[in-house]
Amino acid sequence: MTTPDTTAPAAPTQAVVLAGGQGSRLRPYTDDRPKPMVEIPGTGTPIIGHQLAWLAAEGVTDAVVSCGHLAEVLQDWLTEQAPQLPLHVTTVVETEPLGRGGGLKYAAKHLPHPEQPWYATNGDIWTRFSLREMAAFHAERDATATLALARPRIPWGAVETDTFGNVTDFIESPPSPYLINAGVYVFSAAFTALLPDLGDHERTTFPRLARSRSLAGYPIPQGAYWRAIDTAKDLTEAAKELAAQGR
């Protein structure tokens, strides 16, 4: 009698970091550096440094960083930091704009194990949660792709009223009622071939996978920190939040 194999699938050990954006809304911070090289005040490390440390802590041994705007600044930093980095990093630069999907596909072609699943993250995300648990969620659902989902806080105060139109309460920056794409992913090996050579996968590949029920959504666990760094205000808010958490 054969004993069934109950071993959980191994979590990915490779990842792509998309670090090619212009970061125009973060100027003047991005006048002389790409967005992932911006440091949140008080952290002592650029966003890319935090991401690579997080990926390594989650078992990633190889990362491909897709560069674009001021690529040489990021490449020089990675070269300088190479002896201290906790994983092996390769950089790629698009010779012409390929779009988000095309850029992701181009970077994925440089992963060391194309036959294995992989993580991806946008280069402007500051977060920390268990990627291994997300990978297990992805495997359990036999998904082709899994998106991390966040529930950000609305940047404005909300007003509650009763059925008669009386104001009953004011709520400062309440959580959004909607989940959003958090910019962190788990992809099966087969996903790479489904990406466009040129264009945006969120308008092509993701909708097709959603229609075939092959796209999963993993809610980031409650209490885990997540923030996209898009503007100078995000830098200020992130600095306050991380200081309050002692990080």
Side-chain angles (χ1 to χ4, degrees):
M1 179 176 179
T2 303
T3 302
D5 184 5
T6 58
T7 305
T13 60
Q14 54 187 0
V16 168
V17 179
L18 296 174
Q22 289 283 335
S24 56
R25 291 193 293 170
L26 259 177
R27 289 176 178 161
Y29 298 99
T30 51
D31 285 344
D32 61 352
R33 69 194 64 194
K35 189 193 293 190
M37 283 297 298
V38 173
E39 178 183 324
I40 295 176
T43 63
T45 185
I47 298 170
I48 186 70
H50 169 78
Q51 289 189 329
L52 294 174
W54 173 48
L55 290 170
E58 291 295 324
V60 173
T61 58
D62 294 270
V64 176
V65 178
S66 178
C67 307
H69 174 63
L70 296 174
E72 65 281 359
V73 176
L74 179 50
Q75 290 175 315
D76 288 347
W77 183 85
L78 288 170
T79 298
E80 178 185 316
Q81 295 295 315
Q84 289 80 42
L85 291 176
L87 72 176
H88 179 263
V89 178
T90 302
T91 61
V92 296
V93 182
E94 297 174 27
T95 56
E96 59 183 29
L98 300 175
R100 290 191 296 176
L104 189 61
K105 187 173 189 175
Y106 177 68
K109 289 178 180 178
H110 293 79
L111 289 168
H113 307 292
E115 76 288 354
Q116 296 179 14
W118 46 291
Y119 297 117
T121 180
N122 294 345
D124 60 356
I125 303 299
W126 191 286
T127 188
R128 184 68 71 121
F129 63 91
S130 175
L131 287 174
R132 290 185 176 92
E133 291 183 6
M134 183 177 172
F137 178 96
H138 168 84
E140 287 167 1
R141 283 147 186 81
D142 195 26
T144 302
T146 297
L147 325 178
L149 303 176
R151 195 182 298 276
R153 290 192 171 275
I154 298 172
W156 309 282
V159 179
E160 288 190 343
T161 62
D162 61 21
T163 55
F164 294 100
N166 298 310
V167 174
T168 59
D169 201 3
F170 295 90
I171 305 173
E172 186 64 29
S173 298
S176 168
Y178 299 104
L179 291 166
I180 67 166
N181 180 350
V184 180
Y185 313 91
V186 183
F187 296 136
S188 69
F191 178 77
T192 307
L194 303 178
L195 286 164
D197 294 320
L198 183 68
D200 189 349
H201 62 293
E202 294 193 11
R203 297 181 181 274
T204 55
T205 310
F206 280 175
R208 288 200 302 271
L209 291 177
R211 287 193 292 270
S212 65
R213 299 296 186 269
S214 301
L215 184 66
Y218 175 77
I220 293 176
Q222 187 174 6
Y225 186 76
W226 178 91
R227 179 177 279 274
I229 309 300
D230 291 322
T231 66
K233 183 178 179 181
D234 290 324
L235 278 177
T236 302
E237 294 297 320
K240 292 178 181 177
E241 293 163 353
L242 293 170
Q245 295 180 12
R247 298 183 183 183

